[in-house]
């Protein structure tokens, strides 16, 4: 088991680094240089490339094993074609909303890819919470329930996000050694 855990951990680290680089690269093509992509163009291009890769996988791997991988599990779980299509369309719509929000964050939020990374941490916290509500005691084991370790992670991530937000606000108000003066409450001097 030790070698398999090491191999799996290595893949997770490499995959995480590649995923992090896509944040930075996606931000760069929308904010740097003369030929900047719009949020819509970046979302469409990456979506089309992903669909082509997934379609290729479906043709090469899934199609030859369609009965074993798709039809038999559907039958075992009493899932109709209509129900399966509705589930897939729901995931498609959720992914579209996620992608548009992600690319909008990269281009328009102060901090770009860093802000998106912080929000990804907050997303993980929400996964902890919702998984506990939806699955704890219903499916699987204790790993699906909220625990002290998950609560500690929640506190660390939310605390870090709040600290990052405050630091970002402070950095946005300070440029090149000058501090912005809050002039929203100007008093008339007579």
């Amino acid at each position: 088991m030790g070698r398999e855990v090491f191999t799996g951990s290595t893949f997770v680290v490499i995959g995480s680094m590649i995923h992090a680089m896509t944040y930075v690269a996606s931000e760069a093509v929308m904010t740097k240089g003369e030929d900047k992509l719009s949020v819509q163009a970046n979302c469409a291009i990456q979506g089309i490339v992903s669909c082509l890769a997934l379609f290729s996988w479906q043709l090469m791997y899934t199609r030859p094993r369609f009965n074993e991988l798709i039809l038999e599990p559907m039958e075992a779980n009493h899932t109709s074609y209509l129900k399966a299509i509705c589930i897939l369309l729901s995931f498609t719509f959720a992914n579209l909303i996620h992608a548009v929000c992600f690319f909008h964050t990269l281009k328009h939020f102060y901090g770009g890819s860093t802000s998106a990374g912080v929000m990804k941490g907050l997303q993980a916290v929400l996964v902890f919470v919702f998984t506990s509500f939806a699955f704890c005691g219903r499916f699987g084991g204790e790993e699906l329930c909220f625990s002290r370790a998950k609560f500690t992670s929640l506190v660390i991530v939310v605390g870090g996000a709040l600290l990052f937000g405050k630091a970002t606000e402070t950095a946005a108000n300070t440029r090149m050694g000058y501090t912005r003066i809050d002039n929203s409450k100007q008093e008339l001097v007579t």
Side-chain angles (χ1 to χ4, degrees), residues 15 30 42 49-50 54 70 79 93 127 146 150 153-154 187:
M30 292 189 297
N42 197 359
V49 170
S50 295
L54 182 61
I70 306 295
T79 303
F93 182 71
V127 169
F146 209 70
K150 289 180 182 178
S153 297
L154 180 144
E187 297 178 13

Side-chain angles (χ1 to χ4, degrees), residues 70-87:
I70 306 295
L71 293 181
E72 290 172 12
M74 280 178 63
E75 187 176 309
N77 289 290
H78 309 292
T79 303
S80 67
Y81 285 103
L82 180 62
K83 192 183 231 182
I85 289 170
C86 287
I87 291 169

Side-chain angles (χ1 to χ4, degrees), residues 95-106:
N95 282 322
L96 173 66
I97 299 299
H98 178 271
V100 170
C101 292
F102 170 73
F103 291 117
H104 182 83
T105 299
L106 289 180

Side-chain angles (χ1 to χ4, degrees), residues 2-185:
R3 182 165 171 72
E4 290 174 5
V5 170
F6 177 77
T7 302
S9 298
T10 302
F11 282 134
V12 167
V13 169
I14 292 169
S16 295
M17 290 186 324
I18 292 169
H19 189 69
M21 288 187 317
T22 64
Y23 277 46
V24 177
S26 292
E27 179 185 5
V29 298
M30 292 189 297
T31 60
K32 305 291 183 210
E34 291 181 26
D35 297 326
K36 298 175 191 148
L37 289 178
S38 68
V39 169
Q40 296 85 352
N42 197 359
C43 187
I45 291 166
Q46 290 196 37
I48 290 168
V49 170
S50 295
C51 283
L52 290 173
L54 182 61
F55 183 69
S56 298
W57 174 261
Q58 298 297 345
L59 284 177
M60 291 185 288
Y61 182 82
T62 306
R63 183 140 177 19
R65 299 164 185 84
F66 192 75
N67 284 336
E68 174 190 344
L69 296 175
I70 306 295
L71 293 181
E72 290 172 12
M74 280 178 63
E75 187 176 309
N77 289 290
H78 309 292
T79 303
S80 67
Y81 285 103
L82 180 62
K83 192 183 231 182
I85 289 170
C86 287
I87 291 169
L88 290 173
L89 289 175
S90 297
F91 278 125
T92 300
F93 182 71
N95 282 322
L96 173 66
I97 299 299
H98 178 271
V100 170
C101 292
F102 170 73
F103 291 117
H104 182 83
T105 299
L106 289 180
K107 185 166 185 171
H108 298 292
F109 273 48
Y110 186 79
S113 54
T114 306
S115 294
V118 169
M119 286 187 223
K120 191 72 161 178
L122 292 175
Q123 179 185 6
V125 166
L126 291 174
V127 169
F128 287 164
V129 173
F130 291 138
T131 298
S132 184
F133 284 127
F135 301 120
C136 183
R138 294 185 182 106
F139 304 101
E142 289 294 314
E143 71 276 2
L144 298 175
C145 298
F146 209 70
S147 64
R148 284 191 181 135
K150 289 180 182 178
F151 179 75
T152 303
S153 297
L154 180 144
V155 170
I156 291 169
V157 169
V158 171
L162 292 172
L163 186 62
F164 174 79
K166 185 63 180 166
T168 302
E169 179 185 351
T170 302
N173 289 333
T174 306
R175 293 283 180 259
M176 299 184 332
Y178 298 100
T179 302
R180 185 187 314 179
I181 298 173
D182 182 11
N183 59 3
S184 61
K185 300 176 187 171

